[in-house]
């Protein structure tokens, strides 16, 4: 009997021995899901919508993303609308070439960069994890890929509800994406 | 202005024109201060020390003064 048939019959699996290798992610009711990669080559924001309510953790993957301006990248979350305030957000910037480390705070979104330049290819992995009802914790690490300068940070947002959308945009909201790829993974 | 909307369950990508309300809600541009502009334009400390060693204090002052002149106070 396949796993799906056991689920359909509502049979308890207590004590049952599942064959090794039979439980694959797509057979789970709440699977680890990788989205469709999106080219960040146009638009001022990339919105991922329709995120299921059972999701506990989201991973955003950015590969060599750039815009036509110098506004820093931010990520926002929301339910019917995006939250635009209340983030306690810091991006730390390490520049090995100048032996310097600095940072920036932002409250209108989860900030990813500091003083990013136009055309800079930014690569990062970011996680948004549900800590408790409506409270999401954010962490990321990234690199601008040119001088080896790195960015990292963590923060949180008490959204007060269950998120169903995540957006990548910029602080000024007007810079246009012109290169790179982004994808989302949720579980 | 447009944004790209991606439904993660269907994979459907849609280009959405931003509404006038969304555009109006965008933040006012924040221009860098003269201190930030100067800080970005100055050579690194290592390069400044190197210039002093090889070319002397006057040459170093010339470099720094050029940055200060390009971004005067109050900009």
């Amino acid at each position: 009997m396949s796993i799906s048939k056991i689920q359909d019959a509502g049979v308890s699996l207590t004590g049952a021995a599942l064959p090794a290798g039979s439980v694959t992610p797509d057979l789970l009711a709440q699977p680890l899901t990788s989205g469709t990669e999106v080219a960040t080559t146009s638009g001022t924001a990339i919105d991922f919508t329709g995120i299921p309510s059972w999701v506990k953790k989201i991973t955003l993957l950015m590969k060599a993303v750039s815009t036509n301006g110098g506004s820093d990248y931010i990520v926002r979350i929301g339910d019917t609308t995006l939250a635009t305030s209340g983030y306690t957000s810091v991006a730390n910037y390490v520049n090995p070439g100048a032996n310097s480390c600095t940072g920036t705070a932002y409250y209108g979104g989860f900030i990813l960069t500091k003083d990013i330049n136009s055309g800079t290819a930014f690569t990062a992995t970011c996680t948004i994890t549900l800590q408790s009802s409506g409270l999401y914790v954010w962490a990321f690490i990234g690199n601008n890929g040119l001088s080896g300068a790195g960015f990292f940070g963590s923060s949180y947002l008490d959204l007060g509800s269950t998120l169903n959308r995540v957006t990548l945009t910029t602080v000024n909201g007007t810079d246009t994406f012109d290169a790179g790829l982004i994808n989302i993974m949720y579980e | 202005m447009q944004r790209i909307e991606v439904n993660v369950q269907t994979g459907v990508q849609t280009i959405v024109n931003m509404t006038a309300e969304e555009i109006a809600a965008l933040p006012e541009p924040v221009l860098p201060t003269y201190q930030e502009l100067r800080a970005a334009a100055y050579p690194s400390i290592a390069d400044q020390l190197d210039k002093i060693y090889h070319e002397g204090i006057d040459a170093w002052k010339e470099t720094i003064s050029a940055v200060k002149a390009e971004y005067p106070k109050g900009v």
Side-chain angles (χ1 to χ4, degrees), chain A residues 33-39 42-52 76 97-98 106 114 165 171-175 184 186, chain B residues 1-16 18 22-23 25-30 32 36 40 44-46:
Chain A
T33 305
S34 187
T36 304
E37 193 171 56
V38 180
S42 66
T44 57
I46 311 294
D47 297 342
F48 291 101
T49 63
I51 297 170
R76 286 177 170 144
Y106 189 68
K114 174 177 170 54
R165 61 182 56 216
V171 168
N172 68 14
T174 57
D175 287 358
I184 189 172
Y186 56 87
Chain B
M1 288 190 295
Q2 297 176 324
R3 55 191 171 84
I4 313 298
E5 190 170 301
V6 185
N7 186 302
V8 301
Q9 297 190 50
T10 63
V12 173
Q13 297 184 21
T14 311
I15 296 175
V16 180
M18 293 176 68
E22 288 174 324
I23 294 171
L26 293 173
E28 291 292 321
V30 179
E36 291 169 333
S44 70
I45 297 298

Side-chain angles (χ1 to χ4, degrees), chain A:
Chain A
M1 180 179 287
S2 71
I3 298 298
S4 61
K5 286 180 180 174
I6 291 173
Q7 287 176 329
D8 291 344
V11 175
S12 170
L13 290 175
T14 304
L18 293 171
S22 294
V23 182
T24 56
D26 60 348
L27 288 176
L28 299 172
Q30 299 179 359
L32 171 62
T33 305
S34 187
T36 304
E37 193 171 56
V38 180
T40 46
T41 51
S42 66
T44 57
I46 311 294
D47 297 342
F48 291 101
T49 63
I51 297 170
S53 59
W54 50 261
V55 167
K56 306 292 189 299
K57 182 179 180 184
I58 295 166
T59 304
L60 277 180
L61 304 160
M62 300 167 60
K63 182 206 167 211
V65 172
S66 75
T67 68
N68 64 352
S71 186
D72 288 310
Y73 298 122
I74 57 171
V75 168
R76 286 177 170 144
I77 61 176
D79 44 26
T80 50
T81 58
L82 290 165
T84 57
S85 62
Y87 299 80
T88 303
S89 175
V90 173
N92 301 285
Y93 169 40
V94 179
N95 185 350
N99 290 324
S100 68
C101 180
T102 185
T104 188
Y106 189 68
Y107 297 92
F110 294 131
I111 193 159
L112 284 155
T113 53
K114 174 177 170 54
D115 300 334
I116 197 82
N117 294 319
S118 169
T120 299
F122 182 69
T123 297
T125 180
C126 325
T127 59
I128 302 164
T129 309
L130 180 66
Q131 174 165 327
S132 58
S133 180
L135 175 60
Y136 291 91
V137 173
W138 156 267
F140 82 97
I141 188 162
N143 191 290
N144 70 11
L146 293 175
S147 63
F151 300 87
F152 62 95
S154 62
S155 48
Y156 63 88
L157 177 68
D158 191 350
L159 185 64
S161 58
T162 302
L163 70 75
N164 65 11
R165 61 182 56 216
V166 174
T167 289
L168 171 70
T169 184
T170 55
V171 168
N172 68 14
T174 57
D175 287 358
T176 302
F177 291 102
D178 59 12
L181 296 163
I182 186 171
N183 203 352
I184 189 172
M185 195 164 65
Y186 56 87
E187 55 196 293

